[in-house]
Amino acid sequence: MSQRIDTTFSGLRTERRSALITFITAGDPEPAVTVPLMHALAEAGADIIELGVPFSDPMADGPVIQRASERALRHGTRLADVLAMVRTFREQDSRTPVVLMGYLNPIEVIGYEHFAREAAEAGVDGVLTVDLPPEEGGELVEALRQHGVAPIHLLAPTTTEARMARILERAGGFVYYVSIKGVTGGAEADLSEAADKIAAIRRHTGLPVGIGFGIRDAESARRFAAISDAVIVGSALVTQVEALADEPQKIPAAVAARVAEMAQALRQAGGGA
Amino acid sequence: MTATTLPDERGHFGPYGGCFVSETLMEPLEELRQAYQRYLNDPDFLAEFEADLATYVGRPSPLYLAERWSRRQGGARIWLKREDLNHTGAHKINNTIGQALLAKRMGKRRIIAETGAGQHGVATATVAARLGLECVVYMGADDVKRQAPNVYRMKLLGATVVPVESGSRTLKDALNEAMRDWVTHVDDTFYIIGTVAGPHPYPAMVRDFQSVIGREAREQILAAEGRLPDALVACVGGGSNAMGLFYPFLDDSAVALYGVEAAGDGLETGRHAAPLCAGRPGVLHGNRTYLMEDDAGQIIETHSISAGLDYPGVGPEHAWLKDSGRAQYVAVTDDEALAAFHDVTRTEGIIPALESSHALAYANKLAPQLGEDKIIVVNLSGRGDKDIGTVAERDGIRLF
């Protein structure tokens, strides 16, 4: 299952470097931008693309990604539209893994089984549902697995080791370690605390471990790549999308330039603890 | 299993409730659940809670027979549970006292809350002032403008009021923002949720703190009428005053339970706040429940003359009581609520909150149907002083 994610990480192990995972919100600032932007990200060196599914009440997100959701929703971007974007992206890119990240309610409306099937058919490789802890997530996780889509799970600084073990039994694709107590786009994590936590995570899983929340530039990407298998950059990129919201044709090139810097930094650093 | 044994260990009321939050909050919620379980059975904690309810809130609140109003409409005798006479003017303080005592025992020094009309914010700021805790209240930016007196009250009490500019700039967005604050300051902060919604254990915990309303009402009506009432009526936004009244009566199957939602301009217009009557199940703010949402699962804006009912979700236990048939949920329009507001004010000398006026309006419909030998208890959940600006505006009068 989630072949593309596994292939990507095993290729990176050979290259001895960490993955760069880039987050954008689908439909932000308008739906026509998303697919060209995804291609630009992949060309600039993003190893995995995380596509945010807009939601009216993004409780775990900071102001930058909240506003991205609001812009996308003003254009009526629905989960079905996001799946269509992935399908279009796949016409030209069959290599770059795509992970959907969002909240449960839009998935509830479609139905778990239906969603999992459609996502797999569209070419989605993983799904991360922010407000669905494993205690409530059994049914969706099962549906995703049956269709070969990886159920990506979050771990947090507050996650106890006992809990970590339970979560990692179910996790697929890679593990997303939320490096700070807070929302997306917040403060930068303490590197050594994060390193300790990632070491603990590795005691329970052979899955690659990515780290996200608070990574904003090539320098911080390089530092956190040294202790993880992947760094996830979101708000820093969405901020650029926002700055160019009135000139959307400029967005792919501008964001790609930023991503290229980060990708370059990771290639120089090597890593993958 | 009887209704009173719910929720289950993980906070489920049938398919509703649960704990739908990001991973960072799972452990803090578990700590809260454990603390709450421990203190729920701790005689010292309960004694302190009850003493505060007696000497600070002014409990028990009276059960009052609205004789003139009952006579005027004919039919059942209507008793009013006078939560409007509590300190700070509504039932909200029962819960904030309970949670603040819990916060103190858990060693938290900072309290946060969300508020719509400002009643829960005021009740939270009040207990924070009394216990010497830092208090931050999140309030939708539009509500901050509409509810200036309550904003000022909170500031007088020493709270910081943060206007929330995201989303629809109302209660649901304030709740999102309070959650974001909590996840960021989770080590030293206690989040006092104001209603029977949110992730487990909040729905059960808030219900338990509010169920003093129903326990008192049960004793009082038995003393006054020698029997249980035929029906209970309470308004439902998030549903804490209704749950508080209903809960001690859940096993009394002869007592009909009516939750009254806000029909706004009318259910048929779509401009309302009645998820139980006209919404469908989904997941928001940490629990599965009935929601106002569009066909893509996005939460939609609600409309009600009463800010306290202007919320797109509802407590999960109400969702369960609806599906199980134990309670019935109905809706009354802004106009019907306003008519009841004026009626009760003029015939009983009691100015009810616009929220509570929804319950009164439904009791007004129910009483003639039930007949003269029947008894209705209505939860008069708050006083209407806060609403006179809204009512005046409807009548074309500008007060301030």
Side-chain angles (χ1 to χ4, degrees), chain A residues 56 58 70 105 108 158 163, chain B residues 23-24 167 180 288 293 298:
Chain A
S56 53
E70 288 176 15
N105 203 48
E108 288 254 315
T158 50
R163 188 174 160 76
Chain B
E23 176 57 26
T24 312
R180 291 176 188 126
R288 183 179 280 117
E293 61 177 10
Q298 308 295 343

Side-chain angles (χ1 to χ4, degrees), chain B residues 159-178:
Chain B
T160 303
V161 179
V162 181
V164 177
E165 303 280 354
S166 59
S168 61
R169 299 150 60 99
T170 57
L171 175 58
K172 79 174 177 69
D173 310 287
L175 217 150
N176 292 335
E177 206 56 33

